[in-house]
Amino acid sequence: MLVALRSRRQIAPFTMHRPASVADALALRAEPGTSAFLAGGIDLIDWLKYGHPLDRVIRLDGIPGLADIAAEANALRIGAMATHAAIAASPLIRDVLPDLAALWPAVANPRVRFTGTIGGNVMAGKADYDGLPALMALGAAAEVASGAYIGLDARNPEGLVTAFRIPEPATLRLFADRSLRPALTLWLGLSEVNGQVRSLRIAVGMAHPRPVCVTLPLDLPRPSLRPAAAELAADVARRLPDPASDGRAGASYRRRMVEVLTRRILAGDSV
Ligand SMILES: Cc1cc2nc3c(=O)[nH]c(=O)nc-3n(C[C@H](O)[C@H](O)[C@H](O)COP(=O)(O)OP(=O)(O)OC[C@H]3O[C@@H](n4cnc5c(N)ncnc54)[C@H](O)[C@@H]3O)c2cc1C
């Protein structure tokens, strides 16, 4: 007998809710039974199609402000419901963090970019997605419904994420190399103040169960970065927790490629 593993016919009945505030969304989530937030729905609907039952689906698109992209004191705030397309097209991001706007059109395909949100991308918890390593490389934190900020390096926040906050965007550069997908992706964030490079944050995706970020605190004049590229890249590769060995690549290949890609970016013309 042929069994359909993923089909809309597998979706069990549930009730759909469209709260108009964060408080209402949290109240629905707290009710007895199982529930999930729905952003663009790409991953969640897929998950339901595999037959996972849910009592309530809580849409987030009725909550005002969740998709806003705004400048705050010394920070860029990207609402969790901002789509990939909105991030790439945002005049504000183009102005304060142009590298992010320039890199984001490479994520996914047009259909996904206009539907998928940054919050759903991160909270889906998939090692292959780009949202988390990009935000890690930028030193971003997640803002949760209580208003607290949760760093992303160790684990994903729990509950309702309302936004991501990127500190001091004017000091940041962001670079990415996704050419070795699906073995690994590499996102490199560089913080520079008054001509001195203060830190490098290298976030590696697809090589561990969850993206991993290596931070190098530095105090290096910008012109010294390129001559130090090989040494810095070797340091990053040494500090990287053991990558996975799987059908896509071996651990030692991944570690070596993290060194190669980091060096290539740091020695390149665009840094
Ligand atoms: C063909 C294809 C190609 C793709 N290519 C790429 C790619 O190159 N790079 C990449 O990064 N991604 C890629 N993706 C993944 C895509 O970007 C994600 O599926 C999308 O971002 C998920 O967002 P969503 O809004 O649809 O999330 P949803 O499916 O709505 O939600 C995903 C999960 O997050 C939870 N959630 C959503 N929002 C919140 C919130 N605010 N707070 C708490 N929990 C929340 C949901 O409950 C659910 O568990 C691809 C997807 C497809 C189908």
Side-chain angles (χ1 to χ4, degrees):
M1 184 177 65
L2 189 63
V3 179
L5 291 175
R6 176 179 169 275
S7 155
R8 70 181 62 170
R9 275 172 293 179
Q10 301 248 76
I11 300 181
F14 57 83
T15 56
M16 176 80 91
H17 303 261
R18 192 164 184 257
S21 70
V22 166
D24 288 351
L26 294 178
L28 282 161
R29 190 84 167 97
E31 284 180 12
T34 54
S35 61
F37 297 122
L38 180 103
I42 296 170
D43 288 75
L44 188 66
I45 304 293
D46 213 35
W47 188 75
L48 290 171
K49 284 181 180 170
Y50 280 99
H52 298 287
L54 272 183
D55 296 318
R56 292 179 305 287
V57 169
I58 305 164
R59 288 173 59 166
L60 299 176
D61 61 345
I63 304 176
L66 275 193
D68 289 358
I69 297 172
E72 295 186 336
N74 258 340
L76 171 66
R77 184 179 181 279
I78 303 179
M81 287 292 282
T83 61
H84 300 304
I87 291 169
S90 161
L92 177 65
I93 297 181
R94 285 184 182 175
D95 187 31
V96 301
L97 191 46
D99 292 333
L100 178 61
L103 289 167
W104 222 242
V107 165
N109 60 40
R111 185 184 70 80
V112 170
R113 282 201 295 279
F114 279 93
T115 310
T117 65
I118 186 70
N121 185 282
V122 170
M123 295 305 283
K126 302 220 173 138
D128 292 0
Y129 288 180
D130 294 290
L132 186 55
L135 289 167
M136 282 172 151
L138 292 167
E143 178 195 278
V144 293
S146 65
Y149 292 104
I150 313 287
L152 294 167
D153 281 4
R155 62 178 183 280
N156 271 9
E158 287 173 7
L160 178 57
V161 172
T162 46
F164 298 95
R165 187 175 183 277
I166 299 168
E168 304 190 16
T171 68
L172 297 175
R173 297 289 320 271
L174 181 67
F175 305 88
D177 193 322
R178 300 167 78 245
S179 63
L180 293 181
R181 298 174 91 232
L184 68 92
T185 56
L186 189 132
W187 293 81
L188 188 151
L190 181 157
S191 163
E192 181 182 338
V193 180
N194 297 331
Q196 290 286 115
V197 179
R198 298 291 190 199
S199 71
L200 292 180
R201 292 178 60 86
I202 291 89
V204 178
M206 299 186 153
H208 304 83
R210 183 179 188 273
V212 161
C213 187
V214 174
T215 303
L216 298 186
L218 297 176
D219 192 7
L220 207 61
R222 165 68 82 97
S224 305
L225 200 56
R226 197 177 289 181
E231 195 185 327
L232 292 168
D235 197 11
V236 170
R238 252 193 317 273
R239 292 173 188 234
L240 186 76
D242 283 343
S245 276
D246 53 31
R248 297 165 167 187
S252 56
Y253 172 80
R254 282 180 159 126
R255 189 181 295 280
R256 174 82 183 116
M257 287 305 113
V258 165
E259 180 173 352
V260 169
L261 299 188
T262 303
R263 189 181 62 225
R264 197 181 287 169
I265 292 172
L266 292 178
D269 290 337
S270 47
V271 169

PDB file of all heavy atoms in Angstrom, residues 209-227:
ATOM      1  N   PRO A 209      24.470  20.889  14.506  1.00  0.00           N
ATOM      2  CA  PRO A 209      23.006  20.791  14.655  1.00  0.00           C
ATOM      3  C   PRO A 209      22.339  22.166  14.730  1.00  0.00           C
ATOM      4  O   PRO A 209      21.181  22.326  14.371  1.00  0.00           O
ATOM      5  CB  PRO A 209      22.842  20.038  15.983  1.00  0.00           C
ATOM      6  CG  PRO A 209      24.117  19.295  16.164  1.00  0.00           C
ATOM      7  CD  PRO A 209      25.192  20.124  15.530  1.00  0.00           C
ATOM      8  N   ARG A 210      23.070  23.151  15.184  1.00  0.00           N
ATOM      9  CA  ARG A 210      22.584  24.540  15.230  1.00  0.00           C
ATOM     10  C   ARG A 210      23.769  25.413  14.819  1.00  0.00           C
ATOM     11  O   ARG A 210      24.923  25.071  15.133  1.00  0.00           O
ATOM     12  CB  ARG A 210      22.167  24.858  16.669  1.00  0.00           C
ATOM     13  CG  ARG A 210      21.579  26.242  16.871  1.00  0.00           C
ATOM     14  CD  ARG A 210      21.169  26.430  18.334  1.00  0.00           C
ATOM     15  NE  ARG A 210      20.438  27.677  18.486  1.00  0.00           N
ATOM     16  CZ  ARG A 210      21.009  28.851  18.705  1.00  0.00           C
ATOM     17  NH1 ARG A 210      22.334  28.940  18.819  1.00  0.00           N
ATOM     18  NH2 ARG A 210      20.275  29.933  18.822  1.00  0.00           N
ATOM     19  N   PRO A 211      23.538  26.526  14.088  1.00  0.00           N
ATOM     20  CA  PRO A 211      24.682  27.363  13.715  1.00  0.00           C
ATOM     21  C   PRO A 211      25.531  27.735  14.930  1.00  0.00           C
ATOM     22  O   PRO A 211      25.019  27.881  16.037  1.00  0.00           O
ATOM     23  CB  PRO A 211      24.006  28.601  13.107  1.00  0.00           C
ATOM     24  CG  PRO A 211      22.704  28.114  12.592  1.00  0.00           C
ATOM     25  CD  PRO A 211      22.259  27.044  13.549  1.00  0.00           C
ATOM     26  N   VAL A 212      26.822  27.880  14.689  1.00  0.00           N
ATOM     27  CA  VAL A 212      27.785  28.138  15.760  1.00  0.00           C
ATOM     28  C   VAL A 212      28.507  29.439  15.432  1.00  0.00           C
ATOM     29  O   VAL A 212      28.834  29.702  14.275  1.00  0.00           O
ATOM     30  CB  VAL A 212      28.796  26.963  15.814  1.00  0.00           C
ATOM     31  CG1 VAL A 212      30.051  27.348  16.547  1.00  0.00           C
ATOM     32  CG2 VAL A 212      28.155  25.737  16.454  1.00  0.00           C
ATOM     33  N   CYS A 213      28.748  30.252  16.455  1.00  0.00           N
ATOM     34  CA  CYS A 213      29.430  31.534  16.229  1.00  0.00           C
ATOM     35  C   CYS A 213      30.742  31.589  17.011  1.00  0.00           C
ATOM     36  O   CYS A 213      30.766  31.303  18.207  1.00  0.00           O
ATOM     37  CB  CYS A 213      28.518  32.682  16.655  1.00  0.00           C
ATOM     38  SG  CYS A 213      29.172  34.301  16.231  1.00  0.00           S
ATOM     39  N   VAL A 214      31.811  31.924  16.317  1.00  0.00           N
ATOM     40  CA  VAL A 214      33.113  32.127  16.952  1.00  0.00           C
ATOM     41  C   VAL A 214      33.379  33.628  16.967  1.00  0.00           C
ATOM     42  O   VAL A 214      33.304  34.282  15.929  1.00  0.00           O
ATOM     43  CB  VAL A 214      34.237  31.416  16.159  1.00  0.00           C
ATOM     44  CG1 VAL A 214      35.598  31.752  16.723  1.00  0.00           C
ATOM     45  CG2 VAL A 214      34.009  29.912  16.140  1.00  0.00           C
ATOM     46  N   THR A 215      33.672  34.176  18.150  1.00  0.00           N
ATOM     47  CA  THR A 215      33.924  35.621  18.271  1.00  0.00           C
ATOM     48  C   THR A 215      35.395  35.859  18.581  1.00  0.00           C
ATOM     49  O   THR A 215      35.946  35.249  19.504  1.00  0.00           O
ATOM     50  CB  THR A 215      33.064  36.217  19.401  1.00  0.00           C
ATOM     51  OG1 THR A 215      31.698  35.937  19.117  1.00  0.00           O
ATOM     52  CG2 THR A 215      33.247  37.724  19.494  1.00  0.00           C
ATOM     53  N   LEU A 216      36.021  36.729  17.816  1.00  0.00           N
ATOM     54  CA  LEU A 216      37.401  37.127  18.104  1.00  0.00           C
ATOM     55  C   LEU A 216      37.402  38.601  18.498  1.00  0.00           C
ATOM     56  O   LEU A 216      37.173  39.471  17.648  1.00  0.00           O
ATOM     57  CB  LEU A 216      38.291  36.973  16.873  1.00  0.00           C
ATOM     58  CG  LEU A 216      38.501  35.594  16.256  1.00  0.00           C
ATOM     59  CD1 LEU A 216      39.539  35.682  15.136  1.00  0.00           C
ATOM     60  CD2 LEU A 216      38.944  34.583  17.290  1.00  0.00           C
ATOM     61  N   PRO A 217      37.634  38.921  19.764  1.00  0.00           N
ATOM     62  CA  PRO A 217      37.785  40.327  20.129  1.00  0.00           C
ATOM     63  C   PRO A 217      39.124  40.822  19.569  1.00  0.00           C
ATOM     64  O   PRO A 217      40.138  40.122  19.650  1.00  0.00           O
ATOM     65  CB  PRO A 217      37.825  40.315  21.667  1.00  0.00           C
ATOM     66  CG  PRO A 217      37.498  38.909  22.067  1.00  0.00           C
ATOM     67  CD  PRO A 217      37.794  38.028  20.904  1.00  0.00           C
ATOM     68  N   LEU A 218      39.133  42.012  18.970  1.00  0.00           N
ATOM     69  CA  LEU A 218      40.354  42.517  18.331  1.00  0.00           C
ATOM     70  C   LEU A 218      40.531  43.997  18.671  1.00  0.00           C
ATOM     71  O   LEU A 218      39.593  44.649  19.108  1.00  0.00           O
ATOM     72  CB  LEU A 218      40.255  42.399  16.809  1.00  0.00           C
ATOM     73  CG  LEU A 218      40.142  41.017  16.180  1.00  0.00           C
ATOM     74  CD1 LEU A 218      39.947  41.162  14.674  1.00  0.00           C
ATOM     75  CD2 LEU A 218      41.391  40.187  16.454  1.00  0.00           C
ATOM     76  N   ASP A 219      41.714  44.481  18.435  1.00  0.00           N
ATOM     77  CA  ASP A 219      41.938  45.927  18.466  1.00  0.00           C
ATOM     78  C   ASP A 219      43.010  46.186  17.412  1.00  0.00           C
ATOM     79  O   ASP A 219      44.188  46.315  17.716  1.00  0.00           O
ATOM     80  CB  ASP A 219      42.386  46.355  19.860  1.00  0.00           C
ATOM     81  CG  ASP A 219      42.331  47.864  20.005  1.00  0.00           C
ATOM     82  OD1 ASP A 219      41.823  48.530  19.079  1.00  0.00           O
ATOM     83  OD2 ASP A 219      42.800  48.378  21.035  1.00  0.00           O
ATOM     84  N   LEU A 220      42.550  46.217  16.181  1.00  0.00           N
ATOM     85  CA  LEU A 220      43.461  46.155  15.039  1.00  0.00           C
ATOM     86  C   LEU A 220      43.113  47.276  14.062  1.00  0.00           C
ATOM     87  O   LEU A 220      41.954  47.415  13.697  1.00  0.00           O
ATOM     88  CB  LEU A 220      43.221  44.807  14.353  1.00  0.00           C
ATOM     89  CG  LEU A 220      44.310  44.123  13.556  1.00  0.00           C
ATOM     90  CD1 LEU A 220      45.507  43.820  14.435  1.00  0.00           C
ATOM     91  CD2 LEU A 220      43.743  42.827  12.969  1.00  0.00           C
ATOM     92  N   PRO A 221      44.094  48.075  13.657  1.00  0.00           N
ATOM     93  CA  PRO A 221      43.768  49.067  12.621  1.00  0.00           C
ATOM     94  C   PRO A 221      43.281  48.347  11.360  1.00  0.00           C
ATOM     95  O   PRO A 221      43.810  47.290  11.006  1.00  0.00           O
ATOM     96  CB  PRO A 221      45.107  49.767  12.351  1.00  0.00           C
ATOM     97  CG  PRO A 221      46.010  49.351  13.446  1.00  0.00           C
ATOM     98  CD  PRO A 221      45.507  48.071  14.011  1.00  0.00           C
ATOM     99  N   ARG A 222      42.298  48.942  10.713  1.00  0.00           N
ATOM    100  CA  ARG A 222      41.696  48.285   9.535  1.00  0.00           C
ATOM    101  C   ARG A 222      42.749  47.807   8.516  1.00  0.00           C
ATOM    102  O   ARG A 222      42.668  46.674   8.018  1.00  0.00           O
ATOM    103  CB  ARG A 222      40.684  49.239   8.906  1.00  0.00           C
ATOM    104  CG  ARG A 222      40.245  48.882   7.498  1.00  0.00           C
ATOM    105  CD  ARG A 222      39.411  47.611   7.481  1.00  0.00           C
ATOM    106  NE  ARG A 222      38.034  47.889   7.816  1.00  0.00           N
ATOM    107  CZ  ARG A 222      37.067  48.057   6.926  1.00  0.00           C
ATOM    108  NH1 ARG A 222      37.335  47.989   5.646  1.00  0.00           N
ATOM    109  NH2 ARG A 222      35.846  48.281   7.316  1.00  0.00           N
ATOM    110  N   PRO A 223      43.776  48.638   8.193  1.00  0.00           N
ATOM    111  CA  PRO A 223      44.746  48.182   7.177  1.00  0.00           C
ATOM    112  C   PRO A 223      45.522  46.928   7.599  1.00  0.00           C
ATOM    113  O   PRO A 223      46.101  46.249   6.757  1.00  0.00           O
ATOM    114  CB  PRO A 223      45.697  49.375   7.015  1.00  0.00           C
ATOM    115  CG  PRO A 223      44.941  50.546   7.554  1.00  0.00           C
ATOM    116  CD  PRO A 223      44.038  50.019   8.616  1.00  0.00           C
ATOM    117  N   SER A 224      45.509  46.619   8.907  1.00  0.00           N
ATOM    118  CA  SER A 224      46.262  45.431   9.364  1.00  0.00           C
ATOM    119  C   SER A 224      45.461  44.148   9.206  1.00  0.00           C
ATOM    120  O   SER A 224      45.986  43.055   9.442  1.00  0.00           O
ATOM    121  CB  SER A 224      46.641  45.573  10.843  1.00  0.00           C
ATOM    122  OG  SER A 224      47.333  46.759  11.054  1.00  0.00           O
ATOM    123  N   LEU A 225      44.187  44.302   8.853  1.00  0.00           N
ATOM    124  CA  LEU A 225      43.330  43.118   8.803  1.00  0.00           C
ATOM    125  C   LEU A 225      43.758  42.162   7.685  1.00  0.00           C
ATOM    126  O   LEU A 225      43.884  40.952   7.883  1.00  0.00           O
ATOM    127  CB  LEU A 225      41.879  43.560   8.593  1.00  0.00           C
ATOM    128  CG  LEU A 225      40.788  42.579   8.967  1.00  0.00           C
ATOM    129  CD1 LEU A 225      40.913  42.134  10.418  1.00  0.00           C
ATOM    130  CD2 LEU A 225      39.420  43.188   8.721  1.00  0.00           C
ATOM    131  N   ARG A 226      43.992  42.716   6.509  1.00  0.00           N
ATOM    132  CA  ARG A 226      44.299  41.858   5.360  1.00  0.00           C
ATOM    133  C   ARG A 226      45.594  41.060   5.576  1.00  0.00           C
ATOM    134  O   ARG A 226      45.599  39.839   5.368  1.00  0.00           O
ATOM    135  CB  ARG A 226      44.365  42.695   4.086  1.00  0.00           C
ATOM    136  CG  ARG A 226      44.268  41.856   2.848  1.00  0.00           C
ATOM    137  CD  ARG A 226      44.263  42.662   1.592  1.00  0.00           C
ATOM    138  NE  ARG A 226      43.033  43.401   1.419  1.00  0.00           N
ATOM    139  CZ  ARG A 226      42.785  44.178   0.379  1.00  0.00           C
ATOM    140  NH1 ARG A 226      43.686  44.341  -0.567  1.00  0.00           N
ATOM    141  NH2 ARG A 226      41.649  44.810   0.271  1.00  0.00           N
ATOM    142  N   PRO A 227      46.702  41.708   6.035  1.00  0.00           N
ATOM    143  CA  PRO A 227      47.909  40.905   6.276  1.00  0.00           C
ATOM    144  C   PRO A 227      47.721  39.838   7.357  1.00  0.00           C
ATOM    145  O   PRO A 227      48.438  38.830   7.365  1.00  0.00           O
ATOM    146  CB  PRO A 227      48.952  41.938   6.736  1.00  0.00           C
ATOM    147  CG  PRO A 227      48.403  43.269   6.381  1.00  0.00           C
ATOM    148  CD  PRO A 227      46.934  43.153   6.200  1.00  0.00           C
TER     149      PRO A 227
END
